[in-house]
Amino acid sequence: MYEFHHETILNAQINTVFDFFSDAQNLERITPTFLGFHIITPTPIKISQGTLIDYKLRIHGIPMRWQTHISEWNPPYSFTDEQLKGPYQQWIHRHTFESIGDGNATRMRDHVRYSIFAGKLVHFLIKKDIQTIFKHRTQVIESIFNTEIPSHAT
């Protein structure tokens, strides 16, 4: 099992940030185009605990399907999506949101726990892909919320 942590501070209130991430269509907006990522579940999608969302994407040119399940839903503080079908052996992505300062900024954290079918060499490539995807997401999200506050990934 591997872990990835990422944190971004946005100049927006917690409800605004959570609402953005509650709209599944925004996932296409913040995902790098090289993944060819598209939601195939009919939209609009009302997200709540138990929601299933189907996607198609390309990983290194290989077409794949991905299905996630919203296993935890706690607006506006957190939600968790878990892969039911897809490229990983296991993928659990917990999103948390925390109001900071005077309430006009939000700390957004991503904690991903994942396992893969292949060995450490393949994990090296996957880890780089995940870092690239989250770097792109951060750039897009910061431009949407008009902020230039740095983010941190480990």
Side-chain angles (χ1 to χ4, degrees):
M1 183 70 76
Y2 301 99
E3 293 192 35
F4 177 82
H5 300 273
H6 187 81
E7 179 178 304
T8 305
I9 296 175
L10 301 170
N11 288 328
Q13 294 180 350
I14 191 171
N15 288 326
T16 302
V17 175
F18 192 88
D19 287 349
F20 178 85
F21 284 90
S22 297
D23 182 345
Q25 290 176 283
N26 283 328
L27 191 52
E28 283 187 24
R29 194 171 163 194
I30 65 173
T31 301
T33 56
F34 70 82
L35 288 173
F37 181 91
H38 296 289
I39 297 170
I40 55 177
T41 299
T43 57
I45 300 168
K46 171 70 173 136
I47 298 181
S48 62
Q49 189 164 339
T51 299
L52 298 176
I53 307 173
D54 292 296
Y55 318 90
K56 65 180 180 176
L57 68 154
R58 291 183 169 277
I59 298 178
H60 296 280
I62 301 168
M64 300 194 175
R65 299 273 178 151
W66 189 324
Q67 182 180 62
T68 58
H69 168 255
I70 304 300
S71 60
E72 179 257 340
W73 186 253
N74 183 26
Y77 304 107
S78 64
F79 69 94
T80 303
D81 60 88
E82 298 185 33
Q83 174 195 282
L84 296 180
K85 297 175 189 171
Y88 295 90
Q89 190 171 6
Q90 184 176 46
W91 175 274
I92 302 168
H93 183 181
R94 180 162 170 76
H95 312 252
T96 59
F97 307 89
E98 174 189 0
S99 183
I100 59 174
D102 61 2
N104 288 318
T106 301
R107 177 177 290 117
M108 182 183 75
R109 291 186 177 114
D110 293 283
H111 177 214
V112 179
R113 291 184 16 229
Y114 63 99
S115 59
I116 58 175
F117 296 102
K120 290 185 180 188
L121 178 61
V122 173
H123 175 251
F124 175 78
L125 297 172
I126 291 171
K127 182 178 179 181
K128 286 186 66 142
D129 286 348
I130 292 170
Q131 290 170 336
T132 299
I133 291 165
F134 275 86
K135 180 178 180 180
H136 175 85
R137 284 174 48 133
T138 298
Q139 291 170 343
V140 173
I141 292 164
E142 286 178 349
S143 71
I144 290 168
F145 289 101
N146 196 24
T147 180
E148 294 182 11
I149 297 173
S151 62
H152 308 284
T154 57

